[in-house]
Amino acid sequence: CSLLCCISALAQSNGSNPSEISGTVSSTVSGQKIAGATVMLVNNNSVATTTNNNGEFTLKLPAISGAIELLITHVGYERKQVRLQAGQTTIAIQLNDARALDEVVVTALGIKKEKKALAYAVTEVKGEEFTQAREINIANALTGKIAGVNASSLASGPGGSSRVIIRGNGSLNGDNQPLYVVNGMPIDNTTNSMPASGNGSVGLNNDRGDGIAGINPDDIEAITVLKGGTAAALYGSRASNGVIIITTKKGVKQRGIGVEYNSTLTVERPAIVPDWQYEYGSGQYAAKPIDQAQAIAYGRLSYGAKMDGSEVVQFDGVKRPYSPQKDNIKNFYRTGTTFTNTVSFLGGSDSFTWRASLSDLNNHGIVPNNKLNKKIASLSVGANLSKRISIEGYAQYNIEKSENRAGVADAAGNPNWGTYMIANTVDIRNLDPGYDANGKEVPWNAVGFASNPYFVVNKFKNNDDRNRFIGNLSIRYNILNNLFVKGRVSHDYSNFKYTGIVPTGNLYFADGYYQNYLSGITETNAELTVNYNTKIIDDLTVNVMAGGNQRRSVTDNTNLDGTGYSVPGFYDVSNVVSLTTSKALGRLRTNSVFGSVDFSYKNLLFLTASGRNDWFSTLAPQNNNIFYPSVGASFILSEAFQLPVWVNFAKIRSSLAQVGGATPIPYALNLTYSLVPGGGHDKRPLQMITNFNGANSGQLMVPNQNLKPLTSTTFEVGLEARFLNGRLSTDIAVYDRRTTNDIVRASISPSTGFNHALFNVGEMSNKGLEVLVSGFPVKNKNFNWEVSYNIAYNKNKVIRITDELSTIEADISVNRYAFIHHPEGKPYSTIMATTGLKDAKGNQVYAADGREIASPTLVDMGTGVAPLTTGITNTFNYKRLSLSFLIDGRFGGKVYSATNLYGTRMGLHKMTLPGRDGKLTVNGVDNGGNPFSKTFTPDQMWSYYNNWQVLSEKFVYSSDFVKLRQVIISYSIPVEKISFLKMQSLTLSLVGRNLAILHKEADNIDPESTFSNSNAQGFEMFGVPRTRSFGVNLMVKF
Amino acid sequence: CDKDFEEVNTNPNASTNANPDLLFSQAILKGNYVLDRTYFYTSYLGAGMYVQHFANYKDASLAGMGDKYGINDLYQGFYFTYLYPNVLENLRQCMEGAEKAGHMNKVATARIWRVLHFQRLTDLYGDVPYKNALKGYPENEFLPTYDPQSEIYDGLLTELDQAISALQAGAPTFGAADFIYQGDVAKWKKFGYSLMLRLAMRMTKIDENKARTWAQKAIAGGVIEQAADNAAVKYFNTGQVYNFNPVAYEIGAQDYKADAYGDANVEGGKFSKAFIDFLRDNNDPRLPVMAVTYNGTTPDTTSSIAKGLPSGTLNKPNNFKTFSEPNPATILRYDAPLLVLTNAEMSFLLSEAALRGWTNANTASAYFKNGIENNMRNWARFGAAGVIAEQRITDYTTAHPLNTGGSFNDQMNQIHSQFWVALLLDELECFANWRRTGYPVLTPTNAPGNQTGGVIPRRFPYLQTERSNNKTAYEAALARQGADNLLTRVWWDKQ
């Protein structure tokens, strides 16, 4: 163990010195002897020699006093200093492979650079980290792995969207997610349907997935996360939130065809079951239902009598014991399964390499009848057509099919709502199948809007089909050895078809509703770059790059909406009574020119500068372009200075980058007028001001000719170092990111005639610290322990909005119980709640019937975005066995839980127990300021607690959590013993995701259960339960 | 580098040209609360429950907020959110376009139509943005101040006066794009004067002289007294939802579903006991026209079994099915006309004006009788089930003459109780008229969760986002008008 050697060497540095020392130099990894390594005396490089072909050396020493220290260097290996023990004359020296230091990473525009030359933070994650314990959406697998990358998977069911935020939210309501890039070129990451947080009246409120979910983890060689603004400076505005670069696997030169097969089967169960009260059963006024009508009226109320097991009538007229039903969650949700299979083939020669893969993912969600199937085929080719021309191409095609995605948030059409809120003495299975002989929804509670969960899963339809092509092709022509030109095109086209059916026979909207949309999303980029590098003088090289890009983005939507079916139960567009059709073609274009210059001096100082000018089609001609620069430096301290021996590598980096951006909303410059679809009224056409956010939304937005580009500026300083011969490494970064002139769609007073306006608003700041520490506490032949720990803190603040607005209302929860604002001086996504009205002395003000009166002022409850994120991965390898687990946590955020608010209104929450026995007394003041006191009778408890809906602050919780996110136990089967199968390797693993919540503060819910990736974070409400998954993974290589 | 950008950034699915005619057509439909829950939240669950036309068994927090005097920002703020962009801004741009084209009849017609809505808005909330409203585009004024209601009334009366004078026979009109009068200028004048009388009478409590002056001006100008002049919009039971009668569609699809048969009403709605009792006790021939009671799946119009749900009911009664609800053969017909302003309403206002001695063109009792007759006959527009035999009309008016020997208040009670029956469905007008006159005398409810201490509300609270999005103006309005609750009275609703 070299650490102990070092320490013992330091301890014994006295005695006389020998005149000569001899020894060998070899590689730590391979054990191979290293020829040509320089061995010299520290502080005296005239005393030096080199190793021979056998790695042996002999160094004659002058007469010196004190300890002898040798410095051993060789290209491709880490420098090493060794202190000799007194009287020592021979030594065996091992050098660490320095590949890690000369690590090459993929950066902006797909350009590979030495990591040490980079002026900004980059983290690379290998593809294999995503292929064992899998997430259906690859982006969710980033959770906890990278400092400063906050990936939240949403409570919207399998196939839902992701929300990945790097270094905080920079924009108040623009896209805050990173730019996703495949093989150097951007892909689309549109969220197809963002579920509404507020009252959703039609009942088709589900998340239909995003763009990144279309990438198969098995096709990924590596994911590189560029956190800083410098990355953006070359990619343009969309990269201001960071870039996630996906490099796909390529073919390799080999004999024959390589085959890889990866198969994972997991089962999923709801991870959390609410801890409701099971003392008092169904009822409203401390009594049991006496007949079927009452049983229905109390179907979602647990304010009844004390449970006593007596036979009590239920919603269906059947008498059953008045006893706790604790397993409704477990009973309604089935065991989900996800079965993923990928087979890939690869091969190649000197001039041509290729890889092809086919993948099939088949998920049966925990919500009955919910299914997802995803098939992805990919092909990657590379060819050297001549000595000077090479091409690379990548293409993938996805066929994705989803059935019955579950609704979230508001009650109508949301199967989770009733499952959570059903009275605690009713077994939910008795609601099955949810419809009667005529196909009509069976009522189980007083409000038709709170759908029967079984009716929803059996009769509603939420089906979508997505076909997607992603392709890119690049051609490189080496004009000279140090001058090349490269042309690339990429195209990402998704065709998305959705059909949503609110069936006839449902209780809240008897006519039924039909929704169908066809959405085509196209993102096309064409790029041309020229690259030249040369040595200016000795030790100083320069690389110059210049290029241009054109981006075209088109969304082409056809929407069919209608109510009523002529023939009940036949859900085809031909059968819709009142049908409207509308089309929306959204086009935008960005043209850009850019360039960069990189200097490298003596491999110890690297300088980089870049500039880009963008022209945006969505802005008025006088304001439509912006130039933005970036500069950065990287300085290798360990090359420049004599650092302590235990420091193997140290680098300091700093960069300052600016990015400009524009509104992604086309046609926002002029007011336009649309015909009301559907043929008009009384044979006359109707015209309206074009509605924003859907043809019939009734929402208008003020056009703004004066919008100018926004800018986002990031300053970063970072330190990277490796210690103790690579046993310990760290990467620390601090950054300051500011967005100014952010283009924001703000809600305004409707009395202006409009609901929204587009503004350039003041300023938002994100400041943060990121620390990554990794190391090998134990490392020997049979046993390794590797730890990687990351922690990041991001402080967000809305500095200024506009002269006119001091806050932006981002979202409103169902029934307006809680709000999310972006208030000046506070963080983005601040949860605003209602609170009790207090008199000057802080006494609660009560109404005559003993209800707390609410204050008219909303109170700030903190941000819905946790500022502190952390994760630790431990990996243990023992011979062929490996165990790895990831624990991650988030701290400092808040969540408004509508599940708990409704759980209180419905009498399920344990908070509603006091007073059921007639012993609750409230004290305060009345409206006139006089002392007030009231003791409630048990029958008043529903009315009392139901009123807590006006005190939503009671339902805002700390969203802190620590979770055991992932566990993988792998065994690599010795294939050499079954050589007739000709396998190269065979690994069998047991995998688990979201296995346990080790710490949380919110009652009854998973604090991570927000259901939308919108810019209003912090609402939890009847999402699809987060699942705990277990499974088996098999990987074979032939 | 920005070649073709203007073309790329041009919306191919819309036009940059406004057509005032087509905007006006849309403003008529939108102004009648079609779709978007406006009628449902504002008129039916709100005002209609306050005045006890309707009742439901939902609790005070949501759909029961009208019947039980609860507060619900979504429902009560909806009219404020909806009306400005979808009706008033539409009309502003319509007027702007018509004015550019020099079509002054169109400007005047749109202005009159807009007055109707501004009055509804201010009557419901009190002070609202008026002079500085609708300046989001192109002025970019995003913080409109709220005007005192007295000034809004002055403004609306002046606007009406000017618009009526601007109407000129022979000049271009909206023609067929005008779903109400097909461009008949004379009828729009009558409509204008009728609105003027509505506005004038609203001021009787706060400023009787002003009320009289404007009422007399309106009467002299000529209000709607003939059925042929009634303002009504034709609807159809085919095609788009917006072709359906908005009242029928909103309360039919949202509460009285076709297959609910009086039992599975989504929001638990029924006619209120106060309303049915009044009709039944007076042997009113309108009762079978308006209301049915379900017998199995059959709607039964027998008056003797008619029964209203007591306002303030908290839980679904076991005999819920046996309570009366809107007649599917009249009120709930998708092809029923929507009566915006009729000779019935005008007759009652004229009756009051005569009672006050402000007109002597006819007697208060004659106008009173006209009002009842007009209303009973107008029901025939709802189809065969709405036809009331002349004999029954005569019987009723004979049995219920205006008690000219009674006190002023007695007669007011009679006139405005009939107003309350006649204007069923125009709930906003009924709510305002009830607040002004106090008639009919309604017994308030006092259910758990009510926000008024058991007193019938006098207004809707403002849209609560105004607190953050238009803070200064909102606070100034509160400082002037009083707390933003259900009980603060609007200017003309003097105690």
Side-chain angles (χ1 to χ4, degrees), chain A residues 998-1017:
Chain A
L998 307 174
H999 167 80
K1000 70 171 175 119
E1001 292 179 21
D1003 299 338
N1004 302 314
I1005 59 159
D1006 176 354
E1008 231 187 335
S1009 290
T1010 57
F1011 51 80
S1012 135
N1013 62 6
S1014 75
N1015 278 313
Q1017 289 291 300

Side-chain angles (χ1 to χ4, degrees), chain A residues 220-251:
Chain A
I220 298 175
E221 174 68 35
I223 287 182
T224 313
V225 179
L226 308 183
K227 297 178 199 167
T230 316
L234 275 181
Y235 264 123
S237 61
R238 291 187 304 158
S240 60
N241 304 311
V243 186
I244 293 189
I245 297 176
I246 293 165
T247 306
T248 61
K249 287 180 181 161
K250 309 270 188 302

Side-chain angles (χ1 to χ4, degrees), chain B residues 108-346:
Chain B
T109 309
R111 186 183 297 279
I112 292 171
W113 186 243
R114 203 170 78 164
V115 167
L116 172 86
H117 295 99
F118 256 122
Q119 189 193 3
R120 284 177 178 167
L121 192 65
T122 182
D123 285 353
L124 198 57
Y125 296 101
D127 296 359
V128 291
Y130 166 66
K131 293 193 202 89
N132 287 315
L134 311 176
K135 290 187 175 172
Y137 178 83
E139 293 95 327
N140 284 356
E141 285 180 23
F142 298 136
L143 303 171
T145 49
Y146 287 53
D147 296 289
Q149 190 177 55
S150 59
E151 292 175 20
I152 299 174
Y153 262 67
D154 288 345
L156 295 178
L157 286 161
T158 310
E159 281 197 77
L160 269 185
D161 203 15
Q162 290 169 351
I164 293 167
S165 335
L167 287 169
Q168 302 257 327
T173 66
F174 286 122
D178 164 7
F179 294 137
I180 296 178
Y181 292 129
Q182 288 72 42
D184 186 325
V185 169
K187 288 185 177 177
W188 273 109
K189 278 190 192 251
K190 283 200 169 134
F191 184 90
Y193 282 120
S194 302
L195 267 185
M196 192 183 285
L197 184 59
R198 202 186 244 193
L199 280 154
M201 296 306 284
R202 200 82 90 225
M203 299 186 292
T204 55
K205 276 201 290 192
I206 189 73
D207 191 341
E208 201 172 344
N209 285 331
K210 199 189 241 178
R212 188 184 61 229
T213 308
W214 282 103
Q216 287 175 337
K217 187 177 171 93
I219 295 165
V223 301
I224 296 168
E225 293 193 68
Q226 305 303 319
D229 297 331
N230 284 343
V233 185
K234 213 179 355 169
Y235 285 94
F236 308 90
N237 61 4
T238 54
Q240 301 304 320
V241 168
Y242 59 73
N243 299 133
F244 302 164
N245 177 297
V247 176
Y249 182 70
E250 283 296 301
I251 69 176
Q254 297 286 319
D255 202 351
Y256 309 105
K257 300 177 305 165
D259 62 349
Y261 304 122
D263 192 39
N265 300 357
V266 179
E267 298 294 3
K270 289 285 178 178
F271 275 126
S272 168
K273 181 174 188 305
F275 187 62
I276 297 294
D277 284 358
F278 184 88
L279 296 173
R280 203 189 47 219
D281 295 352
N282 292 305
N283 196 21
D284 197 313
R286 286 169 291 193
L287 177 54
V289 169
M290 294 172 171
V292 298
T293 308
Y294 274 95
N295 180 7
T297 57
T298 314
D300 189 335
T301 58
T302 310
S303 293
S304 58
I305 59 166
K307 183 169 64 179
L309 183 71
S311 287
T313 300
L314 207 53
N315 290 107
K316 188 178 180 180
N318 287 340
N319 58 349
F320 183 71
K321 191 181 172 87
T322 65
F323 292 97
S324 300
E325 60 180 53
N327 189 341
T330 55
I331 294 174
L332 297 182
R333 283 178 70 135
Y334 284 179
D335 59 353
L338 188 107
L339 304 182
V340 180
L341 212 166
T342 68
N343 55 349
E345 178 188 349
M346 286 302 111

Side-chain angles (χ1 to χ4, degrees), chain A residues 16-33:
Chain A
S16 62
N17 287 318
S19 61
E20 186 179 281
I21 183 149
S22 61
T24 57
V25 177
S26 60
S27 157
T28 318
V29 178
S30 62
Q32 267 183 349
K33 300 289 183 275

Side-chain angles (χ1 to χ4, degrees), chain A residues 945-964:
Chain A
Y945 288 117
N946 188 43
N947 178 62
W948 281 12
Q949 63 189 287
V950 303
L951 310 175
S952 57
E953 66 164 347
K954 287 182 185 291
F955 307 99
V956 178
Y957 299 84
S958 158
S959 64
D960 291 1
F961 69 79
V962 178
K963 289 186 178 186
L964 175 56

Side-chain angles (χ1 to χ4, degrees), chain A residues 915-936:
Chain A
R916 306 271 189 130
D917 53 2
K919 286 181 186 155
L920 179 71
T921 303
V922 294
N923 294 300
V925 294
D926 68 10
N927 242 330
N930 309 307
F932 177 87
S933 174
K934 181 178 164 80
T935 301
F936 295 97

Side-chain angles (χ1 to χ4, degrees), chain A residues 50 82 105 132 193 226 402 430 452 532 551 639 667 719 791 847 861 1029:
Chain A
T50 53
V82 181
V105 291
Q132 286 182 305
S193 156
L226 308 183
S402 188
N430 292 321
N452 184 317
Y532 176 71
R551 168 180 183 238
E639 294 283 342
Y667 326 134
L719 179 73
I791 184 165
M861 301 297 296
S1029 73

Side-chain angles (χ1 to χ4, degrees), chain A residues 284 578-579 673 749 809 856, chain B residues 15 93 240-241 315 465-467:
Chain A
Q284 186 165 13
S578 174
L579 185 76
Y673 303 87
S749 171
E809 181 187 86
Chain B
S15 160
Q93 298 202 20
Q240 301 304 320
V241 168
N315 290 107
T465 52
E466 287 290 287
R467 284 180 189 168

